[in-house]
Amino acid sequence: MAAVACPSGTESDFNGDGIRDTAIADPEATVGGVKEAGAVHVVYGGGKGTLELTQNTAGVPGGPEAGDQYGYSLAVYDANLDGCSDLVVGAPYEAIGTAAEAGAVHVVYGASANLKSQVKGLVWPILRALMLVVGGSPRRRSSVSGCVFEVRQNKQGSQELGGAGGVGAELGEDPPVLEVGDAGTLLPALPLSDRPDSVTAMSDGIAWIGAQQTTPIPPGTRGMYAGISLTLARGVDQDEFLINLGADLDELSERVPLSELRTRPLPDAPPTAQFSYAMYGTCGDWTYVLENDHMATWAGGYQGKVKSMTPCPDEEILCLTVNRYSPPAALIHAPGDGRAYRAEFGTATGRGGFLDLALTAEGAVFPSIPDASEAEVVAYHEEHGPRLPELVFTAVGKYTDVVIDQAAVMAGDLPAVHLLMP
């Protein structure tokens, strides 16, 4: 159901009646016998009643757990620019999956009093909630209803927030910004793009790789430009990972840039062997490997049960294999639990972790049957399909916080090796 506009513009007006409302945090409240689960009490102005928000409230994600302290921090701002104030609730000690005290933030949208919004199949009057997970990656961004906001963990700046579910909001002429930080962190103001509805405007760390998947390659490009597959690995040494992919140790030790490697003869190999070029580098904890056009070497080797490409415990591998000449493009995630989760672009892995949350938040999980009709699915793919690679790469960029220099990749300035094509 489309949102009903709230024309009042009154500050802290959650129900759009033009009267200021009040939200009272009670993070140490006992809920359903669970101590310090936490609650938030909303008092509507004009004597129009109250609303208690807890993780027992229909439509609020999760459930009350001891020590979650739901409501430890609050912020009020108009996240979706409909005129109604929206309430942001921090739960700093919320467990996410197996991650204890990971922290979570709920954005609870205000709406006109007669609005009923559907959330995960539940009809919940007046308010609806979206959960943002703060954990794993030190910086995350997302967009809701065309409005850009930021979710960050940072230790510099001027605004003090409380809790891993600590929240604050900035208002101004630009679309509003939501900042989320660790306990006691200080967050600076964030510059916003002039194009807040653009994925690449929000994050160009690796989003540009997806955005250029089918773009014609400019003449004179000496590096890589379009049709790039990306493999990311952490918990394993860079050179060890590349050797596992088949890189020659001597060639690897030279650190030859791709632009130069292209001028050299191919390695000695049987006549039927075909080689690809792979550029590589590191960003934070991650090693990244870039390959052109074909199936990513790790994807082919892992699925072919090549022993050297089987992740060891505590190694995480995330592969975006474009499969340009043998579609569909796919994402394969080996999170270090001895399994690999494969998803075609447009779907989630089904594991239900931070990666799936990032894919969903970016709109990279398309509707499918039976949740939508065949006609709806086809129409959606026709309209949004061209942007799908960009959405997937953006989500993965937010999950990993990997940034890869676009100019260096295009110029072929990064070190490169030959790999046997799968």
Side-chain angles (χ1 to χ4, degrees), residues 290-359:
L290 302 159
E291 301 174 78
N292 258 142
D293 292 338
H294 56 87
M295 177 183 290
T297 297
W298 182 85
Y302 180 79
Q303 293 176 122
K305 303 188 184 301
V306 175
K307 187 175 181 180
S308 67
M309 299 188 199
T310 302
C312 295
D314 300 324
E315 292 178 1
E316 182 175 7
I317 298 176
L318 182 50
C319 180
L320 296 161
T321 179
V322 173
N323 304 341
R324 193 167 186 179
Y325 301 120
S326 56
L331 179 154
I332 305 173
H333 185 210
D337 60 0
R339 299 180 59 188
Y341 302 81
R342 184 184 185 278
E344 295 180 5
F345 279 20
T347 65
T349 69
R351 182 171 178 262
F354 292 133
L355 178 59
D356 279 355
L357 286 168
L359 290 166

Side-chain angles (χ1 to χ4, degrees), residues 54 56-62 106 119-120 122-124 127-130:
T54 73
N56 260 346
T57 304
V60 174
H106 296 171
V119 181
K120 296 182 179 179
L122 299 174
V123 176
W124 184 28
L127 299 168
R128 57 191 174 92
L130 167 76

